[in-house]
Amino acid sequence: MGKLTASLFVSLDGYATDIKEEMAWVSSNTGPEKADFDYELHAAADVLVMGRVTYEIMVAYWPHAEGRLASVMNKTRKVILTRTVTGPDMWENTVFDKGDLSERITALKREGDILVPGSVALVRSLMRQGLVDRLVMHVSPVILGPDGGRSLFEGYGMGALALEDTKVFDHNVVVLEYRPLMK
């Protein structure tokens, strides 16, 4: 049975986006070590799962991007879990799925390892249902304060996590890997 890894960028004060729903503050903190980690994380996945908002952001960039991460992003199978978008498929190896979240994730886990890159609302739902096996938080050295937009854990009840690993990349970004204890 495969594992589901949720991978999210976050500011020091817990925001996944700024007030404009943008993430420009993330790219300014990425160097070669972090790029290598991101490549390895994505290359290990058998399928990428995302929600509509993340899909719309990624489909505007990745199909036209170049480089080894772009190659992985474009070749890896993608399942978009949404009730509002049904196509057309503008990104190779992409399917849209309106099915039951728990049933679909359980079926995908039987096929291999899942990576959920971003998709804050989807990750919240997955966490509430106990479907996340590993939570990878990419903490940027930024405090968004009143300019913070989407809080990573807004609306999410208390949940215990076990710290599995920490990494510091390019003397800048800290990656925290957790295992949820409550399933």
Side-chain angles (χ1 to χ4, degrees):
M1 180 80 104
K3 302 286 184 191
L4 185 146
T5 297
S7 176
L8 298 162
F9 291 95
V10 63
S11 66
L12 281 173
D13 51 347
Y15 290 102
T17 66
D18 63 23
I19 202 162
K20 296 177 186 174
E21 292 289 317
E22 296 175 353
M23 298 175 64
W25 49 273
V26 170
S27 61
S28 64
N29 295 307
T30 300
E33 293 173 355
K34 179 70 170 59
D36 287 344
F37 175 80
D38 290 342
Y39 170 79
E40 291 168 12
L41 181 67
H42 286 79
D46 296 300
V47 63
L48 302 176
V49 171
M50 60 192 82
R52 177 190 55 83
V53 173
T54 299
Y55 167 75
E56 289 174 351
I57 292 167
M58 290 192 174
V59 76
Y61 177 77
W62 287 110
H64 315 288
E66 295 182 0
R68 64 185 189 145
L69 181 55
S71 178
V72 167
M73 293 294 289
N74 292 322
K75 290 180 181 175
T76 303
R77 181 172 157 223
K78 291 163 281 296
V79 176
I80 314 308
L81 300 176
T82 180
R83 298 197 187 281
T84 57
V85 176
T86 57
D89 169 15
M90 299 183 304
W91 194 4
E92 68 179 295
N93 301 317
T94 300
V95 295
F96 296 90
D97 193 313
K98 292 182 177 185
D100 177 79
L101 179 63
S102 182
E103 290 175 10
R104 189 62 178 131
I105 293 298
T106 301
L108 288 170
K109 281 185 173 184
R110 283 202 257 336
E111 298 174 22
D113 290 325
I114 302 168
L115 177 64
V116 180
S119 296
V120 174
L122 174 59
V123 170
R124 286 184 197 143
S125 295
L126 294 167
M127 293 282 289
R128 279 193 292 273
Q129 293 186 41
L131 297 170
V132 174
D133 299 296
R134 185 174 89 163
L135 177 63
V136 179
M137 295 176 49
H138 308 249
V139 183
S140 290
V142 174
I143 297 172
L144 296 176
D147 291 325
R150 193 179 295 218
S151 173
L152 187 57
F153 296 111
E154 180 179 328
Y156 183 75
M158 185 176 148
L161 303 169
L163 183 63
E164 296 286 314
D165 197 7
T166 61
K167 296 174 179 69
V168 179
F169 294 107
D170 308 302
H171 304 287
N172 208 0
V173 175
V174 177
V175 173
L176 305 169
E177 296 186 30
Y178 290 100
R179 179 176 40 87
L181 294 176
M182 302 172 137
K183 284 202 167 205

